[in-house]
Amino acid sequence: MDETQWLSADERAAWLRLVAVVELLPGVLDGQLRRTSGLTHFEYLVMAMLSEAPERVMRMTALAQCTNATLPRLSHVVRRLEERGLVERRPCPDDGRATDAHLTADGWETVVAAAPGHVETVRRHVLDPLTPTQVQRLHEIGDALLRELDPGGRLAVLYDPDPRA
Amino acid sequence: MDETQWLSADERAAWLRLVAVVELLPGVLDGQLRRTSGLTHFEYLVMAMLSEAPERVMRMTALAQCTNATLPRLSHVVRRLEERGLVERRPCPDDGRATDAHLTADGWETVVAAAPGHVETVRRHVLDPLTPTQVQRLHEIGDALLRELDPGGRLAVLYDPDPRA
DNA sequence: GGGTGATGGTTGAAACTACAACCATTCAGG
DNA sequence: CCTGAATGGTTGTAGTTTCAACCATCACCC
């Protein structure tokens, strides 16, 4: 009757720690960015992706994929960012249906100003507690997990500087 | 002027993969539970914690801490679970201010029914892609991170079966 | 050319979360 | 006792995310 293959003690321990990290980390990042820059972690992610794109422009769909957001969610967030003057929306010249999101000068400066504090937070809470060997292992483990979690490579731009075709 | 200590290539790679995992994993877990059990991942977490507590009872505050929720959030979620008959709230006999959350028989059956599919998802997306060695390393890395992310040990009940005083 | 289906994106309503104000009870001191 | 402060929870409101419905444009094909 009960065909489920339950977890071994080792698996369970590793899994529960990962759950706890996944549960806690977003709050830490979000809180720091909110306090020091008035940005959500997701808003920061959107603007950071734009800031690294050629011309600081991206199509809404591409931006949604590489930030792991649904299109409606991105649309709302970009509208709010536009109202704050950090992003601009323009119809895409190549495709009448599409919309291009531009990072404005103000937006660029906001990202640049937010980055150091964000990096500092990441260093203190994630990198510093780990030995260099553990950092290397985390890299490998992340690769293995992402092959399953992100088979289409939608977030590849985030973690892979040069995704193959 | 720019005192920020930026990330090395290795650190950056490991970090970005962790971000991607943290971004993707909740959606995978949440989606599976929603489809097969009509439960949010957070609702499942709440009921799972109750199901493992003595008498399947917990004080609201304790439940909020071990699920990493604010008290208002937990209060709302428990009210909705109560409306569905999965949880019951009773005034705590020991402290007139406090409220005890009980898992009902229906709630217990719901958790038991949801668990196999959840475990199966965890196995497929997290444990199976890793070698036994990597599982062991993930365990160690998780420990190191949680010492920083959860210094008070609020989530310790989640990942540590026997937290020391 | 004119359907037809698929793609790109926006909008509005409902569900959920965070924040702040609030009530009730407990505890400590006088 | 009685007051004031702290603890335990709930409620209301505002902001965010999700979901479904919708409009416009493109691509294919007859």
Side-chain angles (χ1 to χ4, degrees):
Chain A
M1 210 57 158
D2 189 341
E3 306 291 355
T4 304
Q5 187 182 356
W6 297 99
L7 306 182
S8 73
D10 280 353
E11 289 175 330
R12 181 179 158 87
W15 162 243
L16 292 179
R17 280 159 181 77
L18 180 58
V19 172
V21 169
V22 164
E23 203 72 33
L24 290 168
L25 195 48
V28 171
L29 301 178
D30 208 70
Q32 184 272 326
L33 281 168
R34 274 177 124 86
R35 282 191 302 276
T36 70
S37 310
L39 289 175
T40 299
H41 181 238
F42 179 68
E43 291 171 336
Y44 175 81
L45 192 58
V46 167
M47 296 174 65
M49 295 316 295
L50 279 178
S51 75
E52 292 182 7
E55 310 285 326
R56 297 174 194 165
V57 176
M58 271 201 223
R59 299 258 290 249
M60 291 294 281
T61 297
L63 195 51
Q65 287 190 345
C66 73
T67 57
N68 191 40
T70 61
L71 214 33
R73 177 184 184 188
L74 181 65
S75 185
H76 283 138
V77 169
V78 167
R79 177 178 46 73
R80 292 190 286 260
L81 288 176
E82 190 170 29
E83 287 165 1
R84 293 162 66 181
L86 303 175
V87 164
E88 253 186 28
R89 276 188 293 190
R90 297 169 167 279
C92 174
D94 301 339
D95 186 333
R97 301 167 293 182
T99 306
D100 280 343
H102 291 247
L103 189 64
T104 66
D106 270 13
W108 169 260
E109 290 183 14
T110 301
V111 175
V112 169
H118 182 61
V119 170
E120 167 65 15
T121 303
V122 169
R123 178 172 288 295
R124 173 160 55 251
H125 290 284
V126 177
L127 269 1
D128 280 350
L130 300 179
T131 67
T133 304
Q134 284 178 319
V135 171
Q136 173 63 27
R137 289 172 177 172
L138 179 56
H139 178 147
E140 295 164 6
I141 290 170
D143 268 340
L145 292 181
L146 289 170
R147 272 193 285 278
E148 252 303 304
L149 292 172
D150 187 25
R154 300 191 321 163
L155 291 204
V157 286
L158 221 175
Y159 54 85
D160 191 343
D162 180 26
R164 313 109 189 79
Chain B
M1 211 54 164
D2 188 341
E3 306 292 355
T4 304
Q5 185 182 356
W6 298 98
L7 305 182
S8 72
D10 279 353
E11 288 174 330
R12 181 178 157 86
W15 163 241
L16 292 179
R17 280 159 181 77
L18 180 57
V19 172
V21 169
V22 165
E23 204 71 34
L24 290 168
L25 196 47
V28 171
L29 301 178
D30 209 70
Q32 185 272 327
L33 281 168
R34 275 179 123 86
R35 281 190 303 276
T36 71
S37 311
L39 288 175
T40 300
H41 181 237
F42 179 67
E43 291 171 336
Y44 175 81
L45 192 59
V46 167
M47 296 174 64
M49 296 315 296
L50 279 179
S51 76
E52 292 181 8
E55 311 284 325
R56 297 174 196 165
V57 176
M58 272 201 224
R59 301 258 291 248
M60 291 294 281
T61 297
L63 196 50
Q65 287 189 345
C66 73
T67 57
N68 192 39
T70 60
L71 213 33
R73 178 185 182 187
L74 181 65
S75 185
H76 284 137
V77 170
V78 166
R79 178 178 45 71
R80 290 190 287 260
L81 288 176
E82 190 170 29
E83 287 166 1
R84 294 161 65 182
L86 303 174
V87 165
E88 254 186 29
R89 276 187 294 192
R90 298 170 167 277
C92 174
D94 301 340
D95 186 335
R97 301 168 293 182
T99 305
D100 279 344
H102 291 245
L103 189 65
T104 66
D106 271 12
W108 168 259
E109 290 183 13
T110 300
V111 175
V112 169
H118 182 60
V119 170
E120 167 65 15
T121 303
V122 169
R123 178 172 289 293
R124 173 159 56 252
H125 290 285
V126 178
L127 268 1
D128 280 350
L130 300 179
T131 67
T133 305
Q134 284 178 321
V135 171
Q136 173 63 28
R137 288 172 176 170
L138 179 57
H139 178 146
E140 294 164 8
I141 290 170
D143 268 341
L145 293 180
L146 288 171
R147 274 192 284 277
E148 251 304 304
L149 293 172
D150 187 25
R154 298 192 321 159
L155 291 204
V157 284
L158 222 173
Y159 54 85
D160 192 342
D162 180 27
R164 313 111 188 77

